[in-house]
Amino acid sequence: FVDPVRIYVVVHVVYHEALENISDEQILSQLEVLNNDFRRTNKDRDQVPNVWDDLAADTFINFELAPDGITRTATDLLQFSSDNTIKSSSKGGKDPWPTESYLNIWVCNLENSLLGYAQFPGGPPETDGVVIDYRAFGTLGTAEAPFNLGRTTTHEIGHYLNLSHIFGDGRSNSCDDSDYVDDTPNQLGPNYNKPTFPTVSCANAPHGDMFMNYMDYVDDDSMFMFTKGQAYRMKATLLGPRAPLLR
Ligand code: ARG
Ligand code: ZN
Ligand code: CA
């Protein structure tokens, strides 16, 4: 995009414990992170290695909380998994707002240290959107280190806009699979925690893996960029299968 575009967001808070009923302030802190990360105004953008400065992208995508775009639902369920139960009021979750017009984000207690999950474009409308654990959402309140900078939501929205993991999603540890983005180096598998530059794998010496990409698995404070190629792929999604979102 050369002109900024805007996606309306609705956040569904589904809670069993009062603690899980996160504050409006915490939700707004997440929106701020999204707008910084996707517009490349994130404070840590200068940590991108110089060799990749030219690749770091402003995606021109902005996120705006829809009018009355916070819903709050008490549930009998203690936890949720990645099975989409959270997306159905009759099952103890909360039905989405029309998924062609709104990015639906559910925030809840996810089991087994699952930080979040997303639906790629082209899936069933009734389960479209992203789900984030209440401990990995926003930057304050119940957000817990090392996932307390809101990057789980940045990562999941990357998937929602058709980005694969930077290490490829074909096989778990392979130099042969791809993220279908040309300007991200091929890398063997996920990186975790706080890697140091350079971290070399496959044939990507001397600069190595672009582990500081939002689509790797590193800690929130170790990821700070999308590439131009990734921005282009998200743009193609917003001009294609997700075009109704921009109306
Ligand atoms: N494992 C999750 C996924 O594959 C999210 C990882 C998010 N990483 C982070 N540093 N917040 O979708
Ligand atoms: Zn992922
Ligand atoms: Ca690549």
Side-chain angles (χ1 to χ4, degrees), residues 113-118 136 146-147 150-153 155-156 159 165 167 214-221 223:
S113 65
L114 175 63
L115 297 171
Y117 65 99
F147 303 112
R151 261 70 195 254
T152 301
T153 312
H155 175 109
E156 299 307 335
H159 288 315
H165 291 130
F167 43 87
Y214 296 125
M215 300 316 289
D216 205 327
Y217 275 174
V218 297
D219 288 348
D220 278 14
D221 67 1
M223 47 171 59

PDB file of all heavy atoms in Angstrom, residues 113-118 136 146-147 150-153 155-156 159 165 167 214-221 223, ligand 1:
ATOM      1  N   SER A 113       0.200 -23.483  28.048  1.00  0.00           N
ATOM      2  CA  SER A 113       1.092 -22.422  27.573  1.00  0.00           C
ATOM      3  C   SER A 113       0.979 -22.129  26.081  1.00  0.00           C
ATOM      4  O   SER A 113       1.933 -21.695  25.435  1.00  0.00           O
ATOM      5  CB  SER A 113       2.549 -22.697  27.962  1.00  0.00           C
ATOM      6  OG  SER A 113       3.040 -23.843  27.325  1.00  0.00           O
ATOM      7  N   LEU A 114      -0.204 -22.400  25.519  1.00  0.00           N
ATOM      8  CA  LEU A 114      -0.493 -21.959  24.142  1.00  0.00           C
ATOM      9  C   LEU A 114      -0.683 -20.443  24.202  1.00  0.00           C
ATOM     10  O   LEU A 114      -1.517 -19.942  24.948  1.00  0.00           O
ATOM     11  CB  LEU A 114      -1.781 -22.655  23.670  1.00  0.00           C
ATOM     12  CG  LEU A 114      -2.372 -22.279  22.313  1.00  0.00           C
ATOM     13  CD1 LEU A 114      -1.398 -22.630  21.179  1.00  0.00           C
ATOM     14  CD2 LEU A 114      -3.701 -23.020  22.098  1.00  0.00           C
ATOM     15  N   LEU A 115       0.129 -19.711  23.434  1.00  0.00           N
ATOM     16  CA  LEU A 115       0.062 -18.246  23.499  1.00  0.00           C
ATOM     17  C   LEU A 115      -1.067 -17.693  22.642  1.00  0.00           C
ATOM     18  O   LEU A 115      -1.666 -16.671  22.972  1.00  0.00           O
ATOM     19  CB  LEU A 115       1.387 -17.643  23.011  1.00  0.00           C
ATOM     20  CG  LEU A 115       2.626 -17.971  23.839  1.00  0.00           C
ATOM     21  CD1 LEU A 115       3.871 -17.488  23.111  1.00  0.00           C
ATOM     22  CD2 LEU A 115       2.523 -17.336  25.216  1.00  0.00           C
ATOM     23  N   GLY A 116      -1.316 -18.367  21.518  1.00  0.00           N
ATOM     24  CA  GLY A 116      -2.349 -17.875  20.620  1.00  0.00           C
ATOM     25  C   GLY A 116      -2.466 -18.761  19.405  1.00  0.00           C
ATOM     26  O   GLY A 116      -1.623 -19.632  19.187  1.00  0.00           O
ATOM     27  N   TYR A 117      -3.541 -18.569  18.630  1.00  0.00           N
ATOM     28  CA  TYR A 117      -3.657 -19.238  17.335  1.00  0.00           C
ATOM     29  C   TYR A 117      -4.529 -18.391  16.410  1.00  0.00           C
ATOM     30  O   TYR A 117      -5.262 -17.518  16.871  1.00  0.00           O
ATOM     31  CB  TYR A 117      -4.174 -20.683  17.462  1.00  0.00           C
ATOM     32  CG  TYR A 117      -5.595 -20.868  17.977  1.00  0.00           C
ATOM     33  CD1 TYR A 117      -6.652 -21.102  17.095  1.00  0.00           C
ATOM     34  CD2 TYR A 117      -5.876 -20.830  19.339  1.00  0.00           C
ATOM     35  CE1 TYR A 117      -7.961 -21.302  17.561  1.00  0.00           C
ATOM     36  CE2 TYR A 117      -7.172 -21.028  19.809  1.00  0.00           C
ATOM     37  CZ  TYR A 117      -8.208 -21.262  18.916  1.00  0.00           C
ATOM     38  OH  TYR A 117      -9.485 -21.462  19.385  1.00  0.00           O
ATOM     39  N   ALA A 118      -4.383 -18.653  15.118  1.00  0.00           N
ATOM     40  CA  ALA A 118      -5.042 -17.816  14.117  1.00  0.00           C
ATOM     41  C   ALA A 118      -5.654 -18.671  13.025  1.00  0.00           C
ATOM     42  O   ALA A 118      -5.212 -19.798  12.794  1.00  0.00           O
ATOM     43  CB  ALA A 118      -4.024 -16.869  13.484  1.00  0.00           C
ATOM     44  N   ALA A 136      -0.663 -13.070  27.440  1.00  0.00           N
ATOM     45  CA  ALA A 136       0.204 -12.675  26.322  1.00  0.00           C
ATOM     46  C   ALA A 136      -0.419 -11.549  25.517  1.00  0.00           C
ATOM     47  O   ALA A 136      -0.079 -11.320  24.358  1.00  0.00           O
ATOM     48  CB  ALA A 136       0.480 -13.882  25.420  1.00  0.00           C
ATOM     49  N   PRO A 146       8.087 -13.630  29.266  1.00  0.00           N
ATOM     50  CA  PRO A 146       8.690 -12.797  28.208  1.00  0.00           C
ATOM     51  C   PRO A 146       7.745 -12.512  27.046  1.00  0.00           C
ATOM     52  O   PRO A 146       8.187 -12.153  25.965  1.00  0.00           O
ATOM     53  CB  PRO A 146       9.862 -13.666  27.748  1.00  0.00           C
ATOM     54  CG  PRO A 146       9.340 -15.077  27.861  1.00  0.00           C
ATOM     55  CD  PRO A 146       8.403 -15.065  29.050  1.00  0.00           C
ATOM     56  N   PHE A 147       6.417 -12.606  27.287  1.00  0.00           N
ATOM     57  CA  PHE A 147       5.454 -12.381  26.200  1.00  0.00           C
ATOM     58  C   PHE A 147       4.547 -11.201  26.518  1.00  0.00           C
ATOM     59  O   PHE A 147       3.344 -11.221  26.267  1.00  0.00           O
ATOM     60  CB  PHE A 147       4.659 -13.672  25.940  1.00  0.00           C
ATOM     61  CG  PHE A 147       5.551 -14.834  25.602  1.00  0.00           C
ATOM     62  CD1 PHE A 147       5.701 -15.909  26.466  1.00  0.00           C
ATOM     63  CD2 PHE A 147       6.298 -14.832  24.423  1.00  0.00           C
ATOM     64  CE1 PHE A 147       6.557 -16.962  26.162  1.00  0.00           C
ATOM     65  CE2 PHE A 147       7.157 -15.877  24.103  1.00  0.00           C
ATOM     66  CZ  PHE A 147       7.294 -16.950  24.974  1.00  0.00           C
ATOM     67  N   GLY A 150       3.084  -7.648  23.602  1.00  0.00           N
ATOM     68  CA  GLY A 150       1.992  -7.668  22.620  1.00  0.00           C
ATOM     69  C   GLY A 150       2.329  -8.316  21.297  1.00  0.00           C
ATOM     70  O   GLY A 150       1.534  -8.261  20.348  1.00  0.00           O
ATOM     71  N   ARG A 151       3.477  -8.975  21.213  1.00  0.00           N
ATOM     72  CA  ARG A 151       3.908  -9.515  19.922  1.00  0.00           C
ATOM     73  C   ARG A 151       3.203 -10.814  19.534  1.00  0.00           C
ATOM     74  O   ARG A 151       3.203 -11.189  18.353  1.00  0.00           O
ATOM     75  CB  ARG A 151       5.425  -9.706  19.908  1.00  0.00           C
ATOM     76  CG  ARG A 151       6.204  -8.575  19.210  1.00  0.00           C
ATOM     77  CD  ARG A 151       6.195  -7.275  19.981  1.00  0.00           C
ATOM     78  NE  ARG A 151       6.608  -6.121  19.205  1.00  0.00           N
ATOM     79  CZ  ARG A 151       7.783  -5.507  19.327  1.00  0.00           C
ATOM     80  NH1 ARG A 151       8.682  -5.941  20.180  1.00  0.00           N
ATOM     81  NH2 ARG A 151       8.051  -4.433  18.592  1.00  0.00           N
ATOM     82  N   THR A 152       2.587 -11.490  20.477  1.00  0.00           N
ATOM     83  CA  THR A 152       1.821 -12.678  20.099  1.00  0.00           C
ATOM     84  C   THR A 152       0.689 -12.270  19.146  1.00  0.00           C
ATOM     85  O   THR A 152       0.449 -12.930  18.135  1.00  0.00           O
ATOM     86  CB  THR A 152       1.257 -13.383  21.343  1.00  0.00           C
ATOM     87  OG1 THR A 152       2.366 -13.756  22.181  1.00  0.00           O
ATOM     88  CG2 THR A 152       0.461 -14.625  20.967  1.00  0.00           C
ATOM     89  N   THR A 153       0.027 -11.165  19.451  1.00  0.00           N
ATOM     90  CA  THR A 153      -1.069 -10.706  18.588  1.00  0.00           C
ATOM     91  C   THR A 153      -0.530 -10.237  17.236  1.00  0.00           C
ATOM     92  O   THR A 153      -1.124 -10.509  16.185  1.00  0.00           O
ATOM     93  CB  THR A 153      -1.880  -9.606  19.294  1.00  0.00           C
ATOM     94  OG1 THR A 153      -2.189 -10.043  20.623  1.00  0.00           O
ATOM     95  CG2 THR A 153      -3.173  -9.328  18.549  1.00  0.00           C
ATOM     96  N   HIS A 155       2.074 -11.445  15.726  1.00  0.00           N
ATOM     97  CA  HIS A 155       2.389 -12.702  15.042  1.00  0.00           C
ATOM     98  C   HIS A 155       1.120 -13.380  14.503  1.00  0.00           C
ATOM     99  O   HIS A 155       1.060 -13.786  13.332  1.00  0.00           O
ATOM    100  CB  HIS A 155       3.119 -13.611  16.046  1.00  0.00           C
ATOM    101  CG  HIS A 155       3.427 -14.989  15.601  1.00  0.00           C
ATOM    102  ND1 HIS A 155       4.711 -15.414  15.319  1.00  0.00           N
ATOM    103  CD2 HIS A 155       2.641 -16.085  15.400  1.00  0.00           C
ATOM    104  CE1 HIS A 155       4.682 -16.698  14.963  1.00  0.00           C
ATOM    105  NE2 HIS A 155       3.445 -17.132  15.009  1.00  0.00           N
ATOM    106  N   GLU A 156       0.088 -13.479  15.342  1.00  0.00           N
ATOM    107  CA  GLU A 156      -1.135 -14.177  14.916  1.00  0.00           C
ATOM    108  C   GLU A 156      -1.845 -13.418  13.799  1.00  0.00           C
ATOM    109  O   GLU A 156      -2.414 -14.029  12.892  1.00  0.00           O
ATOM    110  CB  GLU A 156      -2.078 -14.388  16.102  1.00  0.00           C
ATOM    111  CG  GLU A 156      -1.519 -15.242  17.240  1.00  0.00           C
ATOM    112  CD  GLU A 156      -0.967 -16.590  16.823  1.00  0.00           C
ATOM    113  OE1 GLU A 156      -1.384 -17.132  15.773  1.00  0.00           O
ATOM    114  OE2 GLU A 156      -0.092 -17.119  17.534  1.00  0.00           O
ATOM    115  N   HIS A 159      -0.369 -14.361  10.589  1.00  0.00           N
ATOM    116  CA  HIS A 159      -0.990 -15.581  10.031  1.00  0.00           C
ATOM    117  C   HIS A 159      -2.353 -15.266   9.406  1.00  0.00           C
ATOM    118  O   HIS A 159      -2.676 -15.722   8.305  1.00  0.00           O
ATOM    119  CB  HIS A 159      -1.213 -16.625  11.127  1.00  0.00           C
ATOM    120  CG  HIS A 159       0.020 -17.293  11.637  1.00  0.00           C
ATOM    121  ND1 HIS A 159       1.024 -17.765  10.815  1.00  0.00           N
ATOM    122  CD2 HIS A 159       0.405 -17.620  12.905  1.00  0.00           C
ATOM    123  CE1 HIS A 159       1.966 -18.335  11.563  1.00  0.00           C
ATOM    124  NE2 HIS A 159       1.620 -18.250  12.831  1.00  0.00           N
ATOM    125  N   HIS A 165       5.100 -19.099   9.100  1.00  0.00           N
ATOM    126  CA  HIS A 165       6.282 -18.915   9.937  1.00  0.00           C
ATOM    127  C   HIS A 165       7.491 -18.684   9.048  1.00  0.00           C
ATOM    128  O   HIS A 165       7.589 -19.248   7.954  1.00  0.00           O
ATOM    129  CB  HIS A 165       6.495 -20.143  10.831  1.00  0.00           C
ATOM    130  CG  HIS A 165       5.448 -20.268  11.884  1.00  0.00           C
ATOM    131  ND1 HIS A 165       4.748 -21.422  12.119  1.00  0.00           N
ATOM    132  CD2 HIS A 165       4.985 -19.337  12.766  1.00  0.00           C
ATOM    133  CE1 HIS A 165       3.885 -21.206  13.107  1.00  0.00           C
ATOM    134  NE2 HIS A 165       4.011 -19.952  13.514  1.00  0.00           N
ATOM    135  N   PHE A 167      10.324 -19.827   9.228  1.00  0.00           N
ATOM    136  CA  PHE A 167      11.115 -21.050   9.002  1.00  0.00           C
ATOM    137  C   PHE A 167      10.395 -22.027   8.090  1.00  0.00           C
ATOM    138  O   PHE A 167      10.893 -23.115   7.827  1.00  0.00           O
ATOM    139  CB  PHE A 167      11.443 -21.722  10.352  1.00  0.00           C
ATOM    140  CG  PHE A 167      10.297 -21.761  11.329  1.00  0.00           C
ATOM    141  CD1 PHE A 167       9.389 -22.802  11.306  1.00  0.00           C
ATOM    142  CD2 PHE A 167      10.125 -20.727  12.246  1.00  0.00           C
ATOM    143  CE1 PHE A 167       8.323 -22.823  12.199  1.00  0.00           C
ATOM    144  CE2 PHE A 167       9.051 -20.748  13.141  1.00  0.00           C
ATOM    145  CZ  PHE A 167       8.149 -21.790  13.118  1.00  0.00           C
ATOM    146  N   TYR A 214       8.838 -10.979  13.248  1.00  0.00           N
ATOM    147  CA  TYR A 214       7.644 -11.298  14.043  1.00  0.00           C
ATOM    148  C   TYR A 214       7.126 -12.715  13.799  1.00  0.00           C
ATOM    149  O   TYR A 214       6.379 -13.251  14.617  1.00  0.00           O
ATOM    150  CB  TYR A 214       6.512 -10.306  13.735  1.00  0.00           C
ATOM    151  CG  TYR A 214       6.813  -8.880  14.114  1.00  0.00           C
ATOM    152  CD1 TYR A 214       6.714  -7.852  13.169  1.00  0.00           C
ATOM    153  CD2 TYR A 214       7.175  -8.543  15.415  1.00  0.00           C
ATOM    154  CE1 TYR A 214       6.967  -6.529  13.506  1.00  0.00           C
ATOM    155  CE2 TYR A 214       7.431  -7.223  15.765  1.00  0.00           C
ATOM    156  CZ  TYR A 214       7.332  -6.216  14.796  1.00  0.00           C
ATOM    157  OH  TYR A 214       7.588  -4.905  15.131  1.00  0.00           O
ATOM    158  N   MET A 215       7.517 -13.329  12.686  1.00  0.00           N
ATOM    159  CA  MET A 215       6.993 -14.654  12.376  1.00  0.00           C
ATOM    160  C   MET A 215       7.930 -15.788  12.802  1.00  0.00           C
ATOM    161  O   MET A 215       7.760 -16.932  12.388  1.00  0.00           O
ATOM    162  CB  MET A 215       6.629 -14.754  10.888  1.00  0.00           C
ATOM    163  CG  MET A 215       5.566 -13.761  10.436  1.00  0.00           C
ATOM    164  SD  MET A 215       4.126 -13.579  11.558  1.00  0.00           S
ATOM    165  CE  MET A 215       3.300 -15.156  11.298  1.00  0.00           C
ATOM    166  N   ASP A 216       8.939 -15.484  13.631  1.00  0.00           N
ATOM    167  CA  ASP A 216       9.710 -16.544  14.287  1.00  0.00           C
ATOM    168  C   ASP A 216       9.090 -16.785  15.676  1.00  0.00           C
ATOM    169  O   ASP A 216       8.014 -16.249  15.969  1.00  0.00           O
ATOM    170  CB  ASP A 216      11.203 -16.154  14.360  1.00  0.00           C
ATOM    171  CG  ASP A 216      12.116 -17.383  14.440  1.00  0.00           C
ATOM    172  OD1 ASP A 216      11.713 -18.401  15.037  1.00  0.00           O
ATOM    173  OD2 ASP A 216      13.254 -17.327  13.922  1.00  0.00           O
ATOM    174  N   TYR A 217       9.748 -17.566  16.534  1.00  0.00           N
ATOM    175  CA  TYR A 217       9.197 -17.936  17.847  1.00  0.00           C
ATOM    176  C   TYR A 217       9.963 -17.342  19.024  1.00  0.00           C
ATOM    177  O   TYR A 217       9.852 -17.825  20.144  1.00  0.00           O
ATOM    178  CB  TYR A 217       9.229 -19.462  17.998  1.00  0.00           C
ATOM    179  CG  TYR A 217       8.053 -20.208  17.418  1.00  0.00           C
ATOM    180  CD1 TYR A 217       8.050 -21.610  17.399  1.00  0.00           C
ATOM    181  CD2 TYR A 217       6.946 -19.553  16.917  1.00  0.00           C
ATOM    182  CE1 TYR A 217       6.979 -22.325  16.882  1.00  0.00           C
ATOM    183  CE2 TYR A 217       5.868 -20.248  16.393  1.00  0.00           C
ATOM    184  CZ  TYR A 217       5.895 -21.637  16.388  1.00  0.00           C
ATOM    185  OH  TYR A 217       4.833 -22.342  15.894  1.00  0.00           O
ATOM    186  N   VAL A 218      10.762 -16.311  18.779  1.00  0.00           N
ATOM    187  CA  VAL A 218      11.583 -15.733  19.844  1.00  0.00           C
ATOM    188  C   VAL A 218      10.725 -14.950  20.844  1.00  0.00           C
ATOM    189  O   VAL A 218       9.531 -14.726  20.614  1.00  0.00           O
ATOM    190  CB  VAL A 218      12.679 -14.811  19.239  1.00  0.00           C
ATOM    191  CG1 VAL A 218      13.616 -15.624  18.362  1.00  0.00           C
ATOM    192  CG2 VAL A 218      12.056 -13.657  18.458  1.00  0.00           C
ATOM    193  N   ASP A 219      11.325 -14.532  21.964  1.00  0.00           N
ATOM    194  CA  ASP A 219      10.619 -13.728  22.960  1.00  0.00           C
ATOM    195  C   ASP A 219      10.150 -12.397  22.363  1.00  0.00           C
ATOM    196  O   ASP A 219      10.733 -11.895  21.400  1.00  0.00           O
ATOM    197  CB  ASP A 219      11.543 -13.420  24.148  1.00  0.00           C
ATOM    198  CG  ASP A 219      11.814 -14.647  25.016  1.00  0.00           C
ATOM    199  OD1 ASP A 219      11.129 -15.677  24.840  1.00  0.00           O
ATOM    200  OD2 ASP A 219      12.717 -14.549  25.874  1.00  0.00           O
ATOM    201  N   ASP A 220       9.155 -11.808  23.017  1.00  0.00           N
ATOM    202  CA  ASP A 220       8.616 -10.541  22.512  1.00  0.00           C
ATOM    203  C   ASP A 220       9.685  -9.454  22.364  1.00  0.00           C
ATOM    204  O   ASP A 220       9.654  -8.666  21.417  1.00  0.00           O
ATOM    205  CB  ASP A 220       7.518 -10.015  23.455  1.00  0.00           C
ATOM    206  CG  ASP A 220       6.173 -10.685  23.196  1.00  0.00           C
ATOM    207  OD1 ASP A 220       6.136 -11.716  22.487  1.00  0.00           O
ATOM    208  OD2 ASP A 220       5.159 -10.174  23.714  1.00  0.00           O
ATOM    209  N   ASP A 221      10.644  -9.409  23.283  1.00  0.00           N
ATOM    210  CA  ASP A 221      11.641  -8.332  23.217  1.00  0.00           C
ATOM    211  C   ASP A 221      12.755  -8.627  22.213  1.00  0.00           C
ATOM    212  O   ASP A 221      13.695  -7.843  22.080  1.00  0.00           O
ATOM    213  CB  ASP A 221      12.230  -8.030  24.595  1.00  0.00           C
ATOM    214  CG  ASP A 221      13.068  -9.182  25.145  1.00  0.00           C
ATOM    215  OD1 ASP A 221      13.224 -10.223  24.469  1.00  0.00           O
ATOM    216  OD2 ASP A 221      13.562  -9.035  26.284  1.00  0.00           O
ATOM    217  N   MET A 223      11.895  -9.704  18.894  1.00  0.00           N
ATOM    218  CA  MET A 223      11.316  -9.599  17.538  1.00  0.00           C
ATOM    219  C   MET A 223      10.890  -8.168  17.268  1.00  0.00           C
ATOM    220  O   MET A 223      10.255  -7.530  18.106  1.00  0.00           O
ATOM    221  CB  MET A 223      10.139 -10.570  17.361  1.00  0.00           C
ATOM    222  CG  MET A 223       9.110 -10.602  18.466  1.00  0.00           C
ATOM    223  SD  MET A 223       7.628 -11.585  18.063  1.00  0.00           S
ATOM    224  CE  MET A 223       8.229 -13.220  17.730  1.00  0.00           C
TER     225      MET A 223
HETATM  226  N1  ARG B   1       3.404 -20.218  18.963  1.00  0.00           N
HETATM  227  C1  ARG B   1       2.417 -19.285  18.523  1.00  0.00           C
HETATM  228  C2  ARG B   1       2.071 -19.513  17.047  1.00  0.00           C
HETATM  229  O1  ARG B   1       2.720 -20.266  16.355  1.00  0.00           O
HETATM  230  C3  ARG B   1       2.794 -17.845  18.815  1.00  0.00           C
HETATM  231  C4  ARG B   1       4.216 -17.468  19.037  1.00  0.00           C
HETATM  232  C5  ARG B   1       4.306 -16.001  19.437  1.00  0.00           C
HETATM  233  N2  ARG B   1       5.632 -15.590  19.878  1.00  0.00           N
HETATM  234  C6  ARG B   1       5.863 -14.533  20.695  1.00  0.00           C
HETATM  235  N3  ARG B   1       7.090 -14.177  20.991  1.00  0.00           N
HETATM  236  N4  ARG B   1       4.923 -13.823  21.191  1.00  0.00           N
HETATM  237  O2  ARG B   1       1.139 -18.966  16.465  1.00  0.00           O
END
